Amino acid sequence: MQTAALNNIARLRAEGKNKFCYWYRKNLFICKKSDDEGSEFYFMGEVTVKPEQCIGTTITGKNGEKLSIVQVFYDMKQPVEPKIYNYFEGK
């Protein structure tokens, strides 16, 4: 499945601009939602996008329609702190 984002990635690769995802800093935040706690965002760290592993696919929307998405894979620059990791894992 081709999407606009994947087409842009392919075009930039063809132009020799493989590092287009490194032009700015990217931070990963994760939201933990709970009925009794509300929603909170946690800073997990800085990430580097792996553009060669971006995958175009679809998901099913709330009304059963197919929605195009791009799965993006990252490398963490630093490991996630064990305390935060264990919190999300419920340990």
Side-chain angles (χ1 to χ4, degrees):
M1 150 150 263
Q2 288 292 319
T3 64
L6 287 177
N7 289 336
N8 285 335
I9 290 169
R11 180 182 54 78
L12 289 166
R13 280 188 196 147
E15 294 173 2
K17 298 176 182 174
N18 292 334
K19 297 188 181 273
F20 73 96
C21 286
Y22 304 104
W23 291 343
Y24 54 91
R25 183 177 172 177
K26 290 156 293 306
N27 295 313
L28 177 63
F29 290 85
I30 294 182
C31 177
K32 182 158 184 172
K33 188 175 183 179
S34 175
D35 291 337
D36 59 339
E37 295 179 22
S39 295
E40 295 185 29
F41 289 87
Y42 295 85
F43 175 68
M44 303 305 286
E46 191 172 346
V47 297
T48 302
V49 175
K50 299 169 82 172
E52 69 281 356
Q53 293 183 353
C54 294
I55 300 169
T57 188
T58 60
I59 59 172
T60 303
K62 292 180 182 178
N63 299 320
E65 73 279 17
K66 293 281 186 185
L67 303 172
S68 296
I69 64 166
V70 177
Q71 291 179 333
V72 180
F73 293 85
Y74 302 95
D75 278 329
M76 299 287 300
K77 289 203 173 183
Q78 297 290 325
V80 175
E81 293 181 29
K83 183 177 178 181
I84 294 174
Y85 180 82
N86 290 335
Y87 175 68
F88 281 99
E89 288 293 311
K91 296 178 182 177

